[in-house]
Amino acid sequence: MPDAEASRWISTFLDARAADLGASRNTQLAYGRDLSDFADWLARRGRGLAQTDRAAVEDYLVHCDAQGLSKATRARRLSSIRQLFRFAVEEGWRADNPALRLTGPGKAQSLPKTLSETEVTRLMEAARTRGRNPVDRLRDTALFELLYATGLRVSELVGLPVAAVRGDPRMILVKGKGDKERMVPLSTPARTALAAWLAQRDAEDEAGKKAGRAPSRFLFPGDGREGHLTRQYFHSLVKDVAVLAGISPSRVTPHVLRHAFATHLLAHGADLRVIQTLLGHADVATTEIYTHVLDDHLKDLVLTKHPLARKG
């Protein structure tokens, strides 16, 4: 366990990040886990954050590598440590930042996994039949249609307020990372699925009121502490629907459907900047990775559709 001083440093730093940057809860949790692991590693060696030097940070990164952590995870941990020490210098807790000049392992850029349009269609059809009762089937259909139509992050999807979709809107307001807001259009199938789910959900709310239960403010209510479906539940739901659709569940996650949304838009000629806005990416460089997914598609297009392409 981190010592009392380390715990105070970390909690104060996280509180400041939340206040200044509006960091999401998931980001805060990731930073907290990274820094607690580092502080715990130091404590087991009889050292604290105030006495840490560059060599200790380097040794910790070697330790992370020996644990088999990915390049992305090690890069994130170094970033967390660097930012904590920068904050410590600003607060006057330290005179220097021992992680300032360290070079991280860098992120290995891997192409996002995606699905074909045919496979997505099979998922949509499976979502309509998977549920144990009509209510579950309406909800599952709305979840899948909304996710594929908008490319929302799973946390954005399950936490969507019901007020966002009232009145059969053609666009909905989504609050993403850092509380940044963006407008996302809805497809006709998504609007149809949402209308059916809302009618059912409102009927249940009305029945709940008569029984003394307060209506949920979320589009997809849940029994957990947060009041909406959890990310873990939806992740399991996606796996179940994949099996029903005859697709290996190892290939399908909520994030893969987000990738499919972006890749299919790009394949049909959507502008990269538009996709960046829809996904809520701060930098278009993040969105550019989808262009690589289409390499094989574009090669095939040139070889089969170009007027000078060789026949046979």
Side-chain angles (χ1 to χ4, degrees), residues 64-65 68-78 104-109:
C64 290
D65 188 19
L69 299 183
S70 68
K71 283 186 176 182
T73 299
R74 285 181 281 136
R76 191 193 67 215
R77 288 197 175 180
L78 175 57
K107 277 190 178 181
Q109 190 182 47

Side-chain angles (χ1 to χ4, degrees), residues 15 19 52 59-60 89 106 123 144 146 178 182 193-194 288-289 300:
D15 288 345
T52 300
D59 287 346
Y60 173 70
V89 171
L123 285 174
F144 273 78
L146 188 56
R182 67 186 189 277
L194 281 173
E288 283 175 347
I289 193 169
D300 181 66

Side-chain angles (χ1 to χ4, degrees), residues 245-301:
I247 302 170
S248 170
S250 64
R251 295 184 54 225
V252 189
T253 67
H255 213 62
V256 167
L257 279 167
R258 175 171 157 89
H259 292 323
F261 161 82
T263 306
H264 297 169
L265 275 179
L266 195 60
H268 285 277
D271 183 84
L272 202 60
R273 290 283 184 183
V274 172
I275 297 174
Q276 176 195 357
T277 301
L278 294 176
L279 291 175
H281 286 163
D283 189 340
V284 73
T286 308
T287 318
E288 283 175 347
I289 193 169
Y290 292 107
T291 61
H292 301 295
V293 180
L294 295 177
D295 280 351
D296 289 340
H297 170 77
L298 295 176
K299 288 175 186 174
D300 181 66
L301 197 64

